[in-house]
Amino acid sequence: MDIRVTVNDAFWNKYRELVRAEMIPYQWDVLNDAIDINIEKERDDDSIPSEKSHAIENFKIAAGRSKGEHYGWVFQDSDVYKWLEAVAYSLKYAWDDELKKTADSVVDLISEAQEADGYLNTYFTIKEPSRKYKRLAESHELYCAGHFIEAAVAYYEATSNEKVLSTARKLADHIFDTFGEGEGKLHDVDGHEEIEIGLMRLYHLTDNEKYMRTAEYFLRERGKDPDLFAKQRKADGGEPVIAGLDKAPNEYFQAHLPVEKQDTAEGHAVRVVYLCTALADLAATTKDKKLEDACRRLWRNIVDKRMYITGGIGSTVIGEAFTLDYDLPNDTMYCETCASIGLIFFARQMLRLEADAEYADIMERALYNTALSGMALDGKHFFYVNPLEAVPEKSEKDPTKSHVKIIRPEWLGCACCPPNLARMIASLDRYIYTVNENEILINLFIKSAMEYDNGSGRVSVRQETDYPGSGKIEVSVVNESNEDISIAIRIPNWCDAYSGSFDGQEQKITKDKGYWYIKVGKGTHEIGLEMEIKPKRWYANPKVSEDIGKVAISRGPQVYCIEGVDNGDDLHCVYLPEEAELDYEWQADLLGGVGVIEACGIRYMADSDKPLYSSSKERKSKEQKIRMIPYYAWANRGRNEMRVWLNEA
Amino acid sequence: MDIRVTVNDAFWNKYRELVRAEMIPYQWDVLNDAIDINIEKERDDDSIPSEKSHAIENFKIAAGRSKGEHYGWVFQDSDVYKWLEAVAYSLKYAWDDELKKTADSVVDLISEAQEADGYLNTYFTIKEPSRKYKRLAESHELYCAGHFIEAAVAYYEATSNEKVLSTARKLADHIFDTFGEGEGKLHDVDGHEEIEIGLMRLYHLTDNEKYMRTAEYFLRERGKDPDLFAKQRKADGGEPVIAGLDKAPNEYFQAHLPVEKQDTAEGHAVRVVYLCTALADLAATTKDKKLEDACRRLWRNIVDKRMYITGGIGSTVIGEAFTLDYDLPNDTMYCETCASIGLIFFARQMLRLEADAEYADIMERALYNTALSGMALDGKHFFYVNPLEAVPEKSEKDPTKSHVKIIRPEWLGCACCPPNLARMIASLDRYIYTVNENEILINLFIKSAMEYDNGSGRVSVRQETDYPGSGKIEVSVVNESNEDISIAIRIPNWCDAYSGSFDGQEQKITKDKGYWYIKVGKGTHEIGLEMEIKPKRWYANPKVSEDIGKVAISRGPQVYCIEGVDNGDDLHCVYLPEEAELDYEWQADLLGGVGVIEACGIRYMADSDKPLYSSSKERKSKEQKIRMIPYYAWANRGRNEMRVWLNEA
């Protein structure tokens, strides 16, 4: 089904314009090493290459256009692919001949770097051709392939560039020929899931089942043989392709159990949600109930036990990984930007499986908070790690927290996050609506229009809103088809009071799994939804030891935080009284326009002249106006403290 | 001055007997690989050798008695030296011919392993003779030498074994010949301070100034040239002797600044306090005011800003190190047993510099809490890391906390702590009193007798007490000398109410830097001190973000904790009301006899069926009897949670 969505939203168009005008050109310069920037390591690790990107140059060398050595991570190619994918989406909403020309040239370059049999990976082509597919646990060859295929599908859809599609098919065919059941094929999986997403996407475009079956093969093969990666290493015998990764346990790769038997989200967080994204896509496509159940179990474990209120996932820097239920430290966590982006991917696929607004709630939570916090307002500085509590001196002097950056770097040694953000934001139109035949789920409140043909005629939906500024949503439906269309509007889980109307008549809203359903017959119809959107307190389950006695504030989809620049240092001394009023005010001049929440709070005086431990509690306090800003906008005013969970008085 | 102290204390004799009867034989078996035990790595690090000890065998190989390869850390020898030192102290309070014979044989073995020029280190003798003194930042050669010299002095003092002293002098002379100012000598320092302590001790025994001057050279040379270790590595050119340690910054080694310019405790915590111990010894010996000031500054920084309430130091596992002021996380900290032992060493030397009871307060805090918690009640299981908050599942599944063991292992890959505890406890008599000519500081309340000759006659002090059971102290002084003796009894900083008597007369106690001074003329005199000793609340400076809103309980010198076995899991859900009464009761049958504190508390119900985040706070709670035990005794009843800082209601 060809669904066309155009976004025309005040909040998001700013970002989409930023992607087009700033991020894409900036990242192009970075990938070409054409600008002088400071590339930081995402964590304190000597093995992280951080001199330059070299990503385009790697392709030139592999293509024979340049001479030289490969530089960077074994998965450096994926930076280029994600950039190309972002360009594809950007061209769809803002055509640009020049950019198209540049991107076409990149396609030509990639195609030249591809080997005759379809193999594509600059690291192995240039540096270790004899080790192709020999260390898949570490090599990211299929991971990179998956990213190229995703990019190729997007670029083909945006530009009809035939070469990109033929290159991708050649690569996918090569993978199909190389991996799979039966003799003469490799029975292996990649250490980092992604190929599965790419192949599913190629299947959706081409309808060629072999791509889906190859994706399915990888998904089902994973975790079957717990010795798989050990055997790989033994057979190869050489040094690890990524130092240290050869020591990672199977859980890190989600290879400890067949995916259908995995009940908890284990290991590297990005890998988990990429796995789940492909799995949910396959389950939705094949209607396989067992796979669907597996997706649901992993979803429940993440969302009920292992996710930060900001939609961040990954509780530890060691392995950038999940840890255990309710282990959610606010200051040593990882919460990688890419992991929240992956959670959004996963949620989108789950909405295809089931019209449950919870998926959209989480998608929105991750989108407006930890995904967005991954970039500065200028679109040129990026967080890999998104803390819920940051103290500059601790990040600088406590090595346990050295991965928690206080200022977003201009680029990262492992640059997965910046282009991932670009492609996510540029493809936002793909997340707003889910269409199941004659049912349209409105998942996100973003001013936009969508239309499709349901077979008996055109159906179009127009959403008018200034959300999250207000909670007022106006939906116009033009149904030119012969079918009744079911419009399902999400009532977000944060919303306690709402009212609705249909064609001017007030409606009693009943929620079915979080959606309000309105049947719409032929003609033009108007649906109105008015949601109360105001500052709100949140409490974590008492099982979360780090959040007990604390409160988090949100407004609509946005989680709020306090920063030192507004509230002074030692933010742990700031207490928000339980009964304090929370006043919201839009401030157009602040941080590119944000809603600020203020409250009368208390500050306990911290005095370094006092003893470290004292038996007298006599604690001086004073009133303090607490000023909160949306979490995503933190760290845009210099080096300072930040805190999401506030002590409650 | 020859001061003879005998300990006859209910609390400590149990431990001293444990050292004699269990720890020394057990550790002897371990050092000989004669028992089958499970050696655990102290943290998750592949480079930690943990197959066996091999420490005695290394000496046999170096001595030519055995054939084979060196095994273990480059500083494995020091385990033997510390064992020998513990034996020396043990023999002083419990003579044992068999043990003496065994220890003499170890002395013979060490002496045989010594090279002709005096050099002594089995790793380099066996494995890399060409790299002697070439990688001192990592090699621990002088560290081991320092431990041998300490052991030798102690063993000589206990047994008059001449060979141990001559071996130590030969080693010290060799070091004097090799290192120092001027041409033809190495201008270098060891990466781990300890030689300075050993040389000072040898100086005190022999009165030979060159040993003190060599110690002084090392202390003053340290940090002078910030490139020293880098030059070393460059000149050597080979692989690091300890993988990774070559990457450690100068701060890790306290080599970033000359010690007189160091205002804050930086780097590896054990190294810092070993450095300070020698520095304070040198300052007290030479009356050098600048060095004294340096000691004071480092002391103030540790005690005022960087020490846990348990006397633990080292806020991070990465580098086992100090971090920054007020950074005292309770669950990711290090608080190595050896670091608290070193803090006790440091305090003891500071008492020679100045009669300030704070030094003894801290000594007592470290002794009764983090030092003692380093071992199980059976004397055969040891903690390297002493957390203030431990949750078994987090230690097992959150790699950020994998260094926080829940059960004390039988032995550790790096076995510095077990023999350090043995020598500390066995030499407890050295910490109770500080004698400065005619002034006797009574630092610790331990049933004991001491005597010395002040030149004009014998002075003896007898201390009767069941402390910390009660706060009643009876001191008998027999002054047979011609001088008035000033007896200074510490009034601990935790004590708010006390009364005193002298020869039956009630006295008004005035404190001078925490000591109560009583002048005692010729004859026999009785001093009485009655201290109120009861459960007490402590609050951390609000600068410590991890402890805000929390309370710790102590009684006398002992910090208390709660354990899961007494209080159920999810200890963060247990709140101690501000006004709750704290009832103390001695329980002879529990944990070898401990005082238990109970209070009426509240438990918030943690329910894993509830959502992870909720806007309703409706939190169910119930009354709960909170049962606290002394911190040192935790983890003696199986795998369970523990917490020192309790949430306060």
Side-chain angles (χ1 to χ4, degrees):
Chain A
M1 206 146 33
D2 184 27
I3 298 152
R4 293 167 300 282
V5 181
T6 54
V7 174
N8 186 25
D9 184 83
F11 184 89
W12 286 105
N13 271 25
K14 226 168 45 183
Y15 278 99
R16 287 159 75 83
E17 175 60 13
L18 198 65
V19 170
R20 187 200 66 77
E22 303 291 342
M23 291 173 82
I24 287 173
Y26 174 75
Q27 297 190 10
W28 176 243
D29 284 346
V30 174
L31 297 176
N32 283 281
D33 306 305
I35 45 171
D36 185 23
I37 51 165
N38 185 21
I39 303 182
E40 290 184 33
K41 293 173 184 182
E42 59 279 11
R43 61 183 182 279
D44 208 359
D45 180 341
D46 283 330
S47 72
I48 294 174
S50 62
E51 292 298 307
K52 56 193 170 184
S53 164
H54 208 257
I56 292 289
E57 187 63 19
N58 289 337
F59 278 99
K60 289 186 180 161
I61 297 165
R65 293 193 199 171
S66 276
K67 292 244 175 290
E69 270 312 306
H70 183 277
Y71 180 86
W73 286 104
V74 69
F75 50 80
Q76 206 85 339
D77 293 356
S78 62
D79 298 348
V80 175
Y81 301 146
K82 281 190 273 189
W83 176 85
L84 180 65
E85 193 181 339
V87 168
Y89 302 131
S90 158
L91 289 173
K92 278 181 73 177
Y93 65 80
W95 189 262
D96 177 333
D97 282 331
E98 266 312 299
L99 180 59
K100 161 79 163 53
K101 232 167 85 181
T102 304
D104 282 347
S105 77
V106 171
V107 169
D108 292 342
L109 178 61
I110 293 167
S111 165
E112 278 179 56
Q114 187 172 40
E115 299 193 15
D117 64 356
Y119 182 88
L120 178 60
N121 182 293
T122 70
Y123 176 88
F124 287 93
T125 296
I126 298 170
K127 210 165 175 173
E128 302 204 79
S130 66
R131 289 178 88 192
K132 284 176 196 164
Y133 298 142
K134 289 202 172 151
R135 291 292 283 246
L136 268 174
E138 304 146 23
S139 75
H140 289 73
E141 286 159 286
L142 298 179
Y143 167 87
C144 288
H147 272 304
F148 175 61
I149 295 169
E150 276 207 272
V153 171
Y155 196 66
Y156 175 78
E157 288 176 338
T159 66
S160 304
N161 179 313
E162 289 289 345
K163 187 186 271 180
V164 80
L165 184 60
S166 65
T167 307
R169 291 191 74 142
K170 191 169 160 187
L171 172 57
D173 292 343
H174 161 74
I175 291 167
F176 170 80
D177 293 340
T178 307
F179 295 90
E181 308 274 0
E183 280 202 40
K185 288 196 171 190
L186 294 177
H187 311 307
D188 226 327
V189 301
D190 195 279
H192 198 316
E193 303 88 338
E194 164 63 30
I195 182 64
E196 302 84 354
I197 297 177
L199 288 170
M200 285 304 296
R201 199 140 174 206
L202 189 59
Y203 161 72
H204 293 308
L205 176 73
T206 62
D207 270 333
N208 187 333
E209 277 226 350
K210 78 176 184 182
Y211 301 131
M212 180 173 74
R213 293 300 160 208
T214 311
E216 184 172 8
Y217 171 77
F218 288 129
L219 289 168
R220 292 192 186 274
E221 191 66 18
R222 188 166 214 92
K224 254 193 200 164
D225 176 3
D227 296 325
L228 180 69
F229 291 153
K231 286 178 192 162
Q232 236 182 47
R233 285 178 206 116
K234 206 179 156 192
D236 173 63
E239 288 296 303
V241 178
I242 293 179
L245 204 53
D246 55 318
K247 303 273 188 346
N250 280 332
E251 283 79 3
Y252 173 87
F253 306 101
Q254 302 75 51
H256 54 300
L257 284 172
V259 70
E260 285 179 37
K261 295 200 172 148
Q262 295 186 26
D263 293 330
T264 53
E266 301 296 341
H268 188 257
V270 174
R271 283 171 166 82
V272 171
V273 284
Y274 279 25
L275 166 66
C276 289
T277 299
L279 200 66
D281 189 347
L282 181 67
T285 306
T286 60
K287 316 284 184 208
D288 184 309
K289 283 288 160 199
K290 278 193 178 171
L291 292 185
E292 189 177 327
D293 286 347
C295 294
R296 255 187 250 279
R297 278 196 303 273
L298 289 168
W299 175 270
R300 286 260 64 82
N301 182 246
I302 294 171
V303 166
D304 292 346
K305 322 256 178 181
R306 300 188 178 199
M307 182 188 70
Y308 288 86
I309 196 166
T310 52
I313 48 175
S315 293
T316 177
V317 55
I318 300 171
E320 308 178 332
F322 287 104
T323 55
L324 66 154
D325 293 348
Y326 302 112
D327 182 41
L328 296 164
N330 293 307
D331 57 348
T332 57
M333 74 303 96
Y334 212 61
C335 290
E336 185 180 335
T337 305
C338 285
S340 285
I341 291 171
L343 184 59
I344 294 167
F345 297 160
F346 182 19
R348 178 175 178 272
Q349 294 295 347
M350 290 306 285
L351 283 164
R352 288 180 56 216
L353 275 171
E354 185 183 15
D356 186 331
E358 188 195 49
Y359 301 120
D361 286 337
I362 299 297
M363 182 197 278
E364 187 184 60
R365 183 192 291 270
L367 182 63
Y368 280 86
N369 298 289
T370 287
L372 267 197
S373 69
M375 58 190 275
L377 297 175
D378 69 358
K380 295 179 184 173
H381 295 80
F382 304 94
F383 273 147
Y384 200 102
V385 171
N386 295 278
L388 283 83
E389 191 180 311
V391 176
E393 295 77 11
K394 293 193 180 182
S395 286
E396 288 152 11
K397 292 192 182 165
D398 181 347
T400 315
K401 297 174 184 115
S402 62
H403 60 291
V404 183
K405 306 259 187 236
I406 297 297
I407 302 284
R408 291 176 185 84
E410 294 181 308
W411 201 250
L412 297 151
C414 169
C416 52
C417 301
N420 224 356
L421 268 168
R423 69 175 183 140
M424 164 87 252
I425 293 166
S427 64
L428 192 62
D429 49 284
R430 292 162 53 86
Y431 298 85
I432 306 171
Y433 304 96
T434 302
V435 180
N436 291 314
E437 301 188 9
N438 293 317
E439 179 182 276
I440 301 172
L441 308 182
I442 300 184
N443 304 313
L444 299 177
F445 304 117
I446 291 174
K447 190 175 164 184
S448 57
M450 70 87 81
E451 56 167 38
Y452 73 109
D453 196 304
N454 70 354
S456 73
R458 201 178 73 102
V459 179
S460 73
V461 172
R462 178 174 297 276
Q463 209 190 138
E464 283 285 339
T465 182
D466 70 343
Y467 185 91
S470 84
K472 192 173 174 189
I473 321 291
E474 292 171 354
V475 177
S476 307
V477 184
V478 181
N479 181 359
E480 297 170 10
S481 80
N482 296 325
E483 310 281 344
D484 282 355
I485 301 295
S486 183
I487 303 287
I489 306 182
R490 178 174 69 106
I491 310 294
N493 71 336
W494 53 259
C495 185
D496 300 316
Y498 39 84
S499 60
S501 66
F502 179 61
D503 285 344
Q505 298 290 310
E506 204 168 299
Q507 302 286 309
K508 183 173 154 29
I509 294 180
T510 53
K511 289 198 283 184
D512 181 359
K513 288 188 180 171
Y515 285 100
W516 171 36
Y517 285 83
I518 311 105
K519 271 263 186 300
V520 176
K522 227 180 169 82
T524 299
H525 302 275
E526 302 292 336
I527 307 167
L529 173 65
E530 181 92 40
M531 299 181 291
E532 186 181 70
I533 183 166
K534 61 176 191 182
K536 190 164 174 169
R537 285 177 165 75
W538 292 90
Y539 299 95
N541 188 305
K543 281 265 181 196
V544 183
S545 65
E546 290 83 357
D547 297 339
I548 202 159
K550 294 178 186 166
V551 57
I553 304 299
S554 73
R555 181 182 172 279
Q558 294 173 336
V559 174
Y560 275 67
C561 70
I562 56 176
E563 273 197 297
V565 65
D566 296 317
N567 300 281
D569 279 344
D570 288 325
L571 291 178
H572 65 276
C573 292
V574 173
Y575 276 67
L576 179 66
E578 203 171 351
E579 68 287 353
E581 264 186 51
L582 303 169
D583 298 320
Y584 173 81
E585 192 187 41
W586 175 255
Q587 298 207 351
D589 296 339
L590 185 66
L591 294 162
V594 290
V596 168
I597 296 173
E598 289 193 338
C600 286
I602 296 162
R603 172 181 275 275
Y604 288 98
M605 306 309 290
D607 185 347
S608 52
D609 291 338
K610 289 283 168 66
L612 187 49
Y613 304 108
S614 159
S615 56
S616 91
K617 201 181 174 181
E618 37 153 297
R619 194 168 286 165
K620 284 202 192 111
S621 64
K622 61 169 190 180
E623 278 194 11
Q624 170 166 345
K625 179 75 87 184
I626 302 178
R627 188 182 160 86
M628 298 167 238
I629 61 160
Y631 172 71
Y632 77 83
W634 90 276
N636 278 290
R637 292 173 292 171
R639 175 186 176 278
N640 80 153
E641 282 191 28
M642 185 277 295
R643 180 172 271 244
V644 168
W645 286 100
L646 312 185
N647 285 320
E648 191 173 60
Chain B
M1 205 144 35
D2 184 28
I3 298 151
R4 293 167 301 281
V5 180
T6 53
V7 173
N8 187 26
D9 184 84
F11 184 88
W12 287 105
N13 271 27
K14 225 168 44 183
Y15 278 100
R16 285 158 77 83
E17 175 58 14
L18 198 64
V19 170
R20 187 199 67 77
E22 303 291 341
M23 293 173 81
I24 287 174
Y26 174 75
Q27 297 190 10
W28 177 243
D29 284 344
V30 173
L31 298 177
N32 282 281
D33 306 305
I35 45 170
D36 185 25
I37 50 165
N38 185 19
I39 304 182
E40 290 184 32
K41 294 174 183 181
E42 59 278 11
R43 59 181 184 282
D44 207 359
D45 181 340
D46 283 329
S47 72
I48 294 174
S50 62
E51 292 299 307
K52 55 192 169 185
S53 165
H54 210 256
I56 293 289
E57 188 63 19
N58 288 337
F59 278 99
K60 289 186 180 163
I61 297 165
R65 293 194 200 170
S66 276
K67 292 244 174 289
E69 271 311 306
H70 182 278
Y71 180 87
W73 286 104
V74 68
F75 49 80
Q76 207 85 339
D77 293 356
S78 61
D79 298 348
V80 176
Y81 301 147
K82 281 190 273 189
W83 175 86
L84 181 64
E85 193 182 338
V87 169
Y89 301 131
S90 158
L91 289 174
K92 278 180 75 176
Y93 65 81
W95 189 261
D96 178 333
D97 282 329
E98 267 312 298
L99 181 58
K100 161 80 164 50
K101 231 168 83 180
T102 305
D104 282 347
S105 76
V106 171
V107 170
D108 292 342
L109 177 62
I110 293 167
S111 165
E112 277 179 56
Q114 187 173 39
E115 299 192 16
D117 63 357
Y119 181 88
L120 178 59
N121 183 293
T122 69
Y123 175 88
F124 287 93
T125 296
I126 299 170
K127 208 163 175 174
E128 302 204 80
S130 67
R131 290 178 88 191
K132 283 177 196 163
Y133 297 142
K134 289 201 172 151
R135 291 291 283 245
L136 269 173
E138 304 146 23
S139 75
H140 289 73
E141 286 159 286
L142 299 178
Y143 167 86
C144 288
H147 271 304
F148 175 63
I149 295 168
E150 275 208 273
V153 171
Y155 195 67
Y156 175 78
E157 288 176 337
T159 65
S160 304
N161 178 314
E162 289 290 345
K163 187 186 270 179
V164 80
L165 185 60
S166 65
T167 307
R169 291 192 74 144
K170 191 170 161 187
L171 172 57
D173 292 345
H174 161 75
I175 291 167
F176 170 80
D177 293 340
T178 308
F179 295 90
E181 308 274 0
E183 280 202 40
K185 287 197 172 189
L186 294 177
H187 311 307
D188 225 326
V189 300
D190 195 278
H192 198 316
E193 302 88 338
E194 164 62 31
I195 182 63
E196 302 84 355
I197 297 177
L199 289 170
M200 285 305 295
R201 199 139 173 208
L202 189 59
Y203 161 72
H204 292 308
L205 176 73
T206 62
D207 269 335
N208 186 332
E209 276 227 351
K210 78 177 184 182
Y211 300 132
M212 180 173 75
R213 292 302 159 207
T214 312
E216 183 172 9
Y217 171 77
F218 287 130
L219 289 169
R220 292 192 186 274
E221 191 67 18
R222 188 164 213 92
K224 254 191 197 163
D225 176 3
D227 295 326
L228 179 68
F229 291 153
K231 285 177 190 162
Q232 236 182 47
R233 285 180 207 114
K234 205 178 158 194
D236 173 62
E239 287 297 302
V241 178
I242 294 180
L245 204 54
D246 55 318
K247 303 274 187 346
N250 279 331
E251 282 79 2
Y252 173 87
F253 306 101
Q254 302 75 53
H256 53 300
L257 284 171
V259 68
E260 285 179 36
K261 294 199 172 148
Q262 294 185 25
D263 294 330
T264 53
E266 302 296 342
H268 188 258
V270 175
R271 284 172 165 81
V272 170
V273 283
Y274 279 25
L275 167 66
C276 288
T277 298
L279 200 66
D281 189 347
L282 182 68
T285 306
T286 61
K287 316 283 183 209
D288 184 309
K289 282 287 162 202
K290 278 193 178 171
L291 292 185
E292 189 178 326
D293 286 349
C295 293
R296 256 188 249 280
R297 279 196 302 274
L298 288 168
W299 175 270
R300 286 259 65 81
N301 182 247
I302 293 171
V303 166
D304 292 346
K305 323 254 177 182
R306 299 187 179 199
M307 182 188 70
Y308 288 86
I309 195 165
T310 51
I313 48 175
S315 293
T316 178
V317 56
I318 300 171
E320 308 177 331
F322 288 104
T323 55
L324 66 154
D325 293 349
Y326 302 112
D327 183 40
L328 296 163
N330 293 307
D331 56 347
T332 57
M333 74 303 96
Y334 212 61
C335 290
E336 185 180 335
T337 305
C338 284
S340 286
I341 292 172
L343 184 58
I344 294 168
F345 297 159
F346 182 21
R348 178 174 177 273
Q349 294 295 347
M350 290 306 286
L351 282 164
R352 288 179 56 215
L353 276 171
E354 185 183 15
D356 187 331
E358 188 195 50
Y359 301 119
D361 285 336
I362 298 298
M363 183 197 279
E364 187 184 61
R365 182 192 292 272
L367 182 62
Y368 281 87
N369 299 289
T370 287
L372 268 197
S373 70
M375 59 190 276
L377 296 176
D378 69 358
K380 295 179 185 173
H381 295 79
F382 304 93
F383 273 147
Y384 199 102
V385 171
N386 295 277
L388 283 83
E389 192 181 311
V391 177
E393 295 77 11
K394 294 193 179 182
S395 286
E396 288 151 10
K397 292 192 182 165
D398 180 348
T400 315
K401 297 172 185 117
S402 63
H403 60 291
V404 182
K405 306 261 187 236
I406 297 298
I407 302 284
R408 292 174 184 85
E410 294 183 307
W411 201 251
L412 296 150
C414 169
C416 52
C417 300
N420 224 356
L421 268 168
R423 68 176 184 141
M424 165 87 251
I425 293 166
S427 63
L428 192 63
D429 50 282
R430 292 161 54 87
Y431 298 85
I432 306 170
Y433 305 95
T434 303
V435 180
N436 291 313
E437 300 187 10
N438 293 318
E439 179 183 277
I440 302 172
L441 309 182
I442 300 183
N443 303 314
L444 299 178
F445 303 118
I446 290 175
K447 189 174 165 186
S448 57
M450 70 88 82
E451 57 167 38
Y452 73 109
D453 195 304
N454 72 352
S456 73
R458 201 179 72 102
V459 179
S460 73
V461 173
R462 178 173 296 275
Q463 210 189 135
E464 283 286 339
T465 182
D466 70 343
Y467 185 89
S470 83
K472 191 171 176 191
I473 321 290
E474 292 171 355
V475 177
S476 307
V477 184
V478 181
N479 181 0
E480 296 169 10
S481 81
N482 296 323
E483 309 281 345
D484 281 356
I485 301 295
S486 182
I487 303 288
I489 306 181
R490 178 174 69 106
I491 310 294
N493 72 334
W494 53 259
C495 184
D496 300 317
Y498 39 83
S499 60
S501 65
F502 179 62
D503 286 342
Q505 299 289 309
E506 203 167 300
Q507 302 286 309
K508 184 175 153 27
I509 294 180
T510 55
K511 289 198 283 185
D512 181 1
K513 289 189 180 170
Y515 284 101
W516 171 35
Y517 284 83
I518 311 106
K519 269 264 188 299
V520 176
K522 228 182 168 79
T524 299
H525 302 275
E526 303 291 336
I527 306 167
L529 174 65
E530 181 91 40
M531 299 182 291
E532 186 182 69
I533 182 165
K534 61 176 191 181
K536 190 165 174 170
R537 286 176 164 76
W538 291 90
Y539 299 95
N541 188 304
K543 282 265 182 197
V544 182
S545 65
E546 290 83 358
D547 297 339
I548 202 158
K550 294 179 185 164
V551 58
I553 305 298
S554 73
R555 180 181 173 279
Q558 294 173 336
V559 174
Y560 274 67
C561 70
I562 55 176
E563 273 197 296
V565 65
D566 297 318
N567 300 280
D569 278 343
D570 288 326
L571 291 178
H572 65 277
C573 292
V574 174
Y575 276 67
L576 179 65
E578 203 170 352
E579 67 288 351
E581 265 186 50
L582 303 170
D583 298 319
Y584 173 80
E585 191 186 39
W586 175 255
Q587 298 207 352
D589 296 337
L590 185 67
L591 294 162
V594 290
V596 167
I597 297 173
E598 290 194 336
C600 286
I602 297 162
R603 172 181 275 276
Y604 288 99
M605 306 310 289
D607 185 347
S608 52
D609 291 337
K610 289 283 170 65
L612 187 49
Y613 304 107
S614 159
S615 56
S616 92
K617 202 182 174 182
E618 36 152 297
R619 194 168 286 166
K620 283 204 193 107
S621 64
K622 61 169 190 180
E623 279 194 8
Q624 170 165 345
K625 180 75 85 182
I626 302 178
R627 189 182 160 87
M628 299 168 238
I629 60 161
Y631 171 71
Y632 77 83
W634 90 277
N636 278 289
R637 292 174 292 171
R639 175 186 178 278
N640 78 153
E641 283 192 26
M642 186 278 295
R643 179 172 271 245
V644 169
W645 286 100
L646 312 185
N647 286 321
E648 192 172 59

